[in-house]
């Protein structure tokens, strides 16, 4: 029905994932590079702090996280990249829970909508799934060894990949970052007989 659809659109708009043009339509929003960079900054710093906290603890059972890495590698044979990103998030969320900071992952999850769009575009690239899985192993191995320096370096390498890919997309696919041309789209849609197409730049009254 209309009510849940309207609520879903409002939630997407709150995360800047859609642009709502009143009395005209709803459009997928352009990717916001600033949102991507801020989410990556937040994620790297919080994840580094969590990983270092875990590296200071001894006798941790990292088996569940390693099992998630095994499942991630299995994606290579299925090509189910959406599931890979879910498994990626699940592993990081598990580490936050293990550190007793599960609610912080929720804060990251809310903020990283535009970052996730970059990740979804990046994962299908040849070799990316294997690369991310190996990065996860490096993080877990560094934590298990209690090596703070290696832990910090491994988290940085893992979380910075999206920023590198963002810069590549800005050059190769600039259309992903262009704001919707609402005036042009409105002009392309003929108004019903006797009804004027509203000017998006006009002020009320």
């Amino acid at each position: 029905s209309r009510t849940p659809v309207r609520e879903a659109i409002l939630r997407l708009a709150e995360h800047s994932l859609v642009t709502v043009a009143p009395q005209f339509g709803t459009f997928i929003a352009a990717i916001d590079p600033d949102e991507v960079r801020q989410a990556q900054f937040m994620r790297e710093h919080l994840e580094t702090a969590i990983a270092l906290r875990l590296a200071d603890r001894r006798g941790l059972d990292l088996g569940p996280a390693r099992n998630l890495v095994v499942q991630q590698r299995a994606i290579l044979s299925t090509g189910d990249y959406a599931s890979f990103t879910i498994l990626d998030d699940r592993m990081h969320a598990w580490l936050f829970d293990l550190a007793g900071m599960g609610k912080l992952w929720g804060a990251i999850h809310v903020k990283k909508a535009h970052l996730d769009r970059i990740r979804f575009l990046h994962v299908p690239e040849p070799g990316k799934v294997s690369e991310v899985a190996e990065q996860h192993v490096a993080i877990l191995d560094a934590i298990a060894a209690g090596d703070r320096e290696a832990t910090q370096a491994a988290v940085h390498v893992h979380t910075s990949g999206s920023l590198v890919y963002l810069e590549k997309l800005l050059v190769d696919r600039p259309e992903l970052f262009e704001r919707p041309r609402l005036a042009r789209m409105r002009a392309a849609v003929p108004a019903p007989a006797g009804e004027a197409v509203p000017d998006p730049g006009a002020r009320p009254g």
Side-chain angles (χ1 to χ4, degrees), residues 63-77 84 87 91 129 133 136-137 140:
R66 294 190 186 279
N67 182 56
L68 288 170
V69 174
V70 172
Q71 295 179 53
Q72 291 163 11
R73 285 174 169 157
I75 297 296
L76 285 170
S77 62
F84 178 84
L87 288 169
M91 196 203 82
V129 169
H136 286 161
V137 171
L140 296 175

Side-chain angles (χ1 to χ4, degrees), residues 129-188:
V129 169
S130 296
E131 179 185 0
V132 173
E134 291 305 317
Q135 290 171 357
H136 286 161
V137 171
I139 292 171
L140 296 175
D141 286 349
I143 290 173
D147 189 332
R148 291 177 60 86
E149 184 176 345
T151 297
Q152 184 169 355
V155 173
H156 172 72
V157 169
H158 179 59
T159 56
S160 62
S162 293
L163 283 190
V164 175
Y165 194 62
L166 168 66
E167 298 305 322
K168 181 178 184 298
L169 288 177
L170 284 167
V171 174
D172 295 345
R173 300 191 60 186
E175 74 278 3
L176 295 173
F177 307 92
E178 294 176 356
R179 298 297 180 187
R181 301 293 192 266
L182 296 183
R184 185 183 306 164
M185 287 186 286
R186 282 183 169 130

Side-chain angles (χ1 to χ4, degrees), residues 3-200:
T3 298
V5 170
R6 185 181 303 112
E7 291 175 353
I9 289 174
L10 287 175
R11 290 188 64 183
L12 289 170
E14 287 174 0
H15 292 286
S16 302
L17 292 174
V18 298
T19 298
V20 179
Q23 299 180 338
F24 184 68
T26 301
F27 305 90
I28 298 173
I31 298 175
D32 187 332
D34 287 338
E35 288 280 350
V36 174
R37 295 185 183 105
Q38 290 182 40
Q40 188 277 335
F41 180 88
M42 178 182 184
R43 184 179 178 187
E44 178 176 350
H45 284 73
L46 287 177
E47 291 203 30
T48 298
I50 291 298
L52 289 175
R53 171 177 286 211
L54 294 176
D56 289 337
R57 293 166 58 178
R58 296 294 177 267
L60 289 175
D61 178 13
L62 298 175
R66 294 190 186 279
N67 182 56
L68 288 170
V69 174
V70 172
Q71 295 179 53
Q72 291 163 11
R73 285 174 169 157
I75 297 296
L76 285 170
S77 62
T78 66
D80 186 359
Y81 300 117
S83 293
F84 178 84
T85 305
I86 292 171
L87 288 169
D88 186 344
D89 280 355
R90 191 175 297 167
M91 196 203 82
H92 290 283
W94 186 86
L95 292 176
F96 274 75
D97 285 338
L98 184 63
M101 296 286 176
K103 290 183 179 179
L104 280 181
W105 178 256
I108 293 175
H109 190 73
V110 169
K111 182 66 177 174
K112 68 185 182 74
H114 283 263
L115 175 60
D116 281 346
R117 296 174 74 181
I118 298 297
R119 292 169 66 208
F120 276 118
L121 290 169
H122 200 183
V123 166
E125 292 282 321
K128 185 59 181 176
V129 169
S130 296
E131 179 185 0
V132 173
E134 291 305 317
Q135 290 171 357
H136 286 161
V137 171
I139 292 171
L140 296 175
D141 286 349
I143 290 173
D147 189 332
R148 291 177 60 86
E149 184 176 345
T151 297
Q152 184 169 355
V155 173
H156 172 72
V157 169
H158 179 59
T159 56
S160 62
S162 293
L163 283 190
V164 175
Y165 194 62
L166 168 66
E167 298 305 322
K168 181 178 184 298
L169 288 177
L170 284 167
V171 174
D172 295 345
R173 300 191 60 186
E175 74 278 3
L176 295 173
F177 307 92
E178 294 176 356
R179 298 297 180 187
R181 301 293 192 266
L182 296 183
R184 185 183 306 164
M185 287 186 286
R186 282 183 169 130
V189 178
E195 180 179 330
V197 177
D199 180 359

